[in-house]
Amino acid sequence: MTQSLAGLRPVLLTVDDDPSISRAVARDLRRRYGEHHRIVRAESGEQALEALRELTLRGDQVAVLLADYRMPGMTGIEFLEQAMDLFPAARRVLLTAYADTGAAIDAINVVDLDHYLLKPWDPPEEKLYPVVDALLDAWRTADHAPVTETRVVGHRWSARSHEVRDFLARNQIAYRWCLAEEPEGKRLLDAAGTDGLRLPVVVAPGGETLIEPSDAELAERVGLSTVPSADFYDVVVIGGGPAGLGAAVYAASEGLRTVLVERTATGGQAGQSSRIENYLGFPDGVSGSQLTDRARRQATRFGAEVLTTRHAIGLEASGSARSVRFADGSQLHAHAVILATGVTYRQLRAPGVEDLTSRGVFYGSALTEAASCAGEDVYIVGGANSAGQAAVHFARQARSVTLLVRGPSLEASMSHYLIQQLAALPNVAVRPCTEVVAAHGTEHLDKLELRHIPSGATDTIDASWLFVFIGASPHTDWLDGVVARDDTGFVLSGPDLMVDGKRPPGWALDRDPYHLETSLPGVFVAGDARADSMKRVASAVGDGAMAVALVHRYLEKP
């Protein structure tokens, strides 16, 4: 029987290559925290990583990591960066000398550092314990992953197996992937009493088995919130990308009763980005998942509710209230609504692509598949920043990465810094003036047929991995006839609604629409779904903040 979570003592791990300092840190930690925590000591980064791997296998929890900055072979920053993959919820502390405070500050951006301590830390009662106390409090209240992993059993090239894994990964739920034909997979299927004909099978942390679960069933079993605590709010935010998260943070921090509803996972397209390098305040870049996690935690800390697997299908005015209807028949009501539904990657319209989607052809960076591309040849369709960021990410493990670009170069669509990064990577190539005209394969992608656009010449190449980034379409079909949209489906707002100085048809208020207000008063739009928006993370967050300011104005005087 699996040991209960309550019976496990969380680990505090410290690593320092100086044995005397290593012993001193462990001694001080053990003196204060030894009764309720396990203190693990290591004297090199590799030794500490090996200890973390063993803790992972045993299902232990790690609450705090303390690493010395200057260690031979592996610096403290490098150790913490790798440790994040094993225990992403653990709080991270860097031990530095006074001369290394610059490096510690840099680490705040590289590894999302929680704190840095100057050596010596005597007396610990003043300099060490208050820091660790605060970090443990934060760790206990955070939504860190449960110790006993969720396990997913499925087939390698099953579309639904990929969707389940992607759902868990994007919601930052730890899971272990087991192939149905391998011994561990067979053991789990036998234990679940299923013949394996219906896959995937998900074994939840408590041991409950789910066969071909829906996203809503998954969310409920792994502890994600799906049911609102009330029927009426000050503001409902629809969509959990940067715009929606920004709106939720600002609305909740200003005292508005706020609920954010998301169909799949918070973060949107930005949440799937391997590295965002042009976002203010992160000179070394930040992964989309890290930025999303911090924003979600920030929103909930201020009191916002965050609900997943909520698919909005209708919006209407109910007197002074605004009502949102969901696919399950439920409704939420609020004084105001912020539409932050974002966009999705456009489908690649070429023969064979649709049949091979999630079986070698993926839209976006497909977080769950990146590790499987090690030593493989990867092809990426697209020439904008999202494609460039994915190419940099895959180049770390793939044998080769080839960007397939319709235009003559990357200059017209990609940021200069990304073009420079790609040019410096020896295993990245760009094929300009090229399009995919067909995909071939039975169980999974085997070959791609490419065409050189100017000449019309085609060639067929061996390919098992294709990732598509070819522009975006807004998630606004459900708003047809409710709010005004442009010809491509993006939501019109503010001055864009005015034609020859006249207010939009049906507008009953004795004022012009506010800047981000749609043609339905009290409903605002933010982020990529807004017509003529900048399509950048920073501008989306700014839209979310501005929308909240306008909600306040609307609530004061509709």
Side-chain angles (χ1 to χ4, degrees):
M1 181 175 293
T2 303
Q3 188 177 10
S4 70
L5 233 116
L8 297 171
R9 290 194 300 162
V11 170
L12 310 183
L13 183 143
T14 175
V15 52
D16 196 305
D17 66 301
D18 185 325
S20 62
I21 295 179
S22 178
R23 287 193 293 270
V25 177
R27 178 200 64 216
D28 288 344
L29 292 175
R30 193 171 290 112
R31 182 182 302 160
R32 171 100 169 195
Y33 306 104
E35 181 177 356
H36 301 292
H37 300 79
R38 289 181 54 209
I39 312 302
V40 176
R41 182 172 70 88
E43 295 182 3
S44 72
E46 286 294 345
Q47 187 182 90
L49 286 174
E50 183 59 34
L52 290 179
R53 294 185 189 103
E54 292 181 7
L55 293 170
T56 301
L57 292 175
R58 290 205 301 260
D60 288 331
Q61 298 180 84
V62 176
V64 179
L65 301 165
L66 300 95
D68 180 45
Y69 170 60
R70 290 188 178 274
M71 295 188 294
M74 180 185 298
T75 69
I77 295 176
E78 292 169 338
F79 160 71
L80 290 172
E81 194 167 18
Q82 294 188 48
M84 288 168 62
D85 294 332
L86 297 170
F87 290 96
R91 301 296 165 170
R92 296 170 282 276
V93 180
L94 198 66
L95 301 174
T96 71
Y98 181 79
D100 296 325
T101 53
I105 293 172
D106 289 342
I108 293 173
N109 297 307
V110 176
V111 296
D112 196 14
L113 193 69
D114 292 292
H115 203 89
Y116 68 90
L117 285 172
L118 293 176
K119 298 186 290 186
W121 57 88
D122 290 328
E125 288 78 9
E126 295 180 11
K127 298 183 178 180
L128 177 64
Y129 297 154
V131 171
V132 177
D133 286 346
L135 294 176
L136 285 173
D137 286 343
W139 178 82
R140 292 188 192 99
T141 58
D143 293 329
H144 52 269
V147 175
T148 48
E149 292 177 311
T150 296
R151 288 163 289 180
V152 180
V153 185
H155 290 309
R156 176 68 187 85
W157 298 110
S158 159
R160 183 53 188 162
S161 294
H162 164 76
E163 290 167 359
V164 165
R165 295 164 61 204
D166 196 55
F167 177 86
L168 294 173
R170 291 182 60 192
N171 281 288
Q172 301 187 32
I173 302 298
Y175 73 91
R176 183 149 52 91
W177 167 238
C178 305
L179 291 171
E181 60 270 22
E182 293 184 348
E184 177 66 5
K186 291 178 179 178
R187 185 185 69 80
L188 290 172
L189 293 177
D190 288 342
T194 177
D195 54 13
L197 296 178
R198 297 173 59 201
L199 293 174
V201 170
V202 177
V203 183
E208 183 180 1
T209 299
L210 307 175
I211 300 175
E212 295 182 316
S214 66
D215 287 352
E217 289 173 323
L218 273 177
E220 181 181 351
R221 296 307 189 277
V222 299
L224 297 174
S225 297
T226 60
V227 179
S229 64
D231 294 325
F232 199 94
Y233 294 83
D234 290 321
V235 59
V236 174
V237 181
I238 303 177
L245 287 167
V249 167
Y250 281 94
S253 68
E254 294 171 11
L256 296 178
R257 189 166 192 188
T258 305
V259 59
L260 182 152
V261 293
E262 167 57 46
R263 183 167 56 178
T264 304
T266 53
Q269 284 187 328
Q272 300 178 69
S273 175
S274 57
R275 206 75 177 167
I276 302 169
E277 298 196 63
N278 58 353
Y279 188 68
L280 183 68
F282 292 88
D284 295 300
V286 60
S287 73
S289 61
Q290 284 178 293
L291 189 63
T292 296
D293 177 62
R294 295 174 75 166
R296 184 178 61 245
R297 287 192 283 119
Q298 194 174 17
T300 55
R301 183 170 67 85
F302 283 126
E305 292 182 41
V306 178
L307 309 178
T308 57
T309 66
R310 307 291 292 185
H311 185 193
I313 62 170
L315 172 65
E316 61 185 10
S318 302
S320 61
R322 300 294 175 261
S323 300
V324 182
R325 187 172 69 258
F326 299 98
D328 63 359
S330 64
Q331 289 190 342
L332 280 179
H333 311 282
H335 292 299
V337 171
I338 297 175
L339 303 173
T341 50
V343 295
T344 188
Y345 291 111
R346 290 197 181 103
Q347 302 296 295
L348 180 60
R349 302 300 180 188
V353 169
E354 183 177 357
D355 292 339
L356 294 169
T357 297
S358 298
R359 294 189 290 133
V361 177
F362 303 93
Y363 290 87
S365 34
L367 300 174
T368 55
E369 305 300 333
S372 301
C373 296
E376 301 276 342
D377 297 317
V378 171
Y379 292 86
I380 296 174
V381 181
N385 279 8
S386 54
Q389 290 163 352
V392 172
H393 177 63
F394 285 120
R396 296 170 185 162
Q397 299 186 63
R399 178 170 56 191
S400 71
V401 177
T402 303
L403 278 161
L404 307 174
V405 184
R406 286 182 58 87
S409 70
L410 297 173
E411 276 72 13
S413 55
M414 189 178 292
S415 295
H416 180 64
Y417 79 90
L418 267 176
I419 296 174
Q420 289 183 310
Q421 286 187 23
L422 293 174
L425 296 172
N427 60 336
V428 174
V430 179
R431 286 186 59 163
C433 302
T434 300
E435 63 181 354
V436 176
V437 294
H440 303 284
T442 50
E443 290 189 355
H444 59 86
L445 177 67
D446 289 326
K447 297 181 185 297
L448 287 174
E449 188 176 341
L450 308 179
R451 178 167 59 209
H452 183 246
I453 296 171
S455 67
T458 62
D459 64 317
T460 300
I461 60 173
D462 293 332
S464 298
W465 303 97
L466 180 70
F467 298 88
V468 182
F469 303 82
I470 54 170
S473 301
H475 289 300
T476 61
D477 289 348
W478 64 286
L479 296 168
D480 186 34
V482 180
V483 298
R485 301 181 296 155
D486 66 13
D487 293 340
T488 56
F490 291 93
V491 177
L492 298 170
S493 63
D496 292 337
L497 292 169
M498 307 292 287
V499 179
D500 297 328
K502 296 181 179 179
R503 294 165 183 161
W507 186 266
L509 301 182
D510 188 23
R511 63 166 175 81
D512 294 345
Y514 294 135
H515 184 66
L516 298 180
E517 194 169 21
T518 70
S519 58
L520 178 59
V523 176
F524 300 81
V525 61
D528 289 359
R530 179 172 65 85
D532 296 325
S533 62
M534 287 288 293
K535 308 297 187 289
R536 290 288 187 269
V537 174
S539 61
V541 173
D543 268 11
M546 186 188 301
V548 172
L550 296 172
V551 165
H552 277 293
R553 189 182 301 179
Y554 172 80
L555 295 178
E556 292 167 4
K557 186 180 179 181

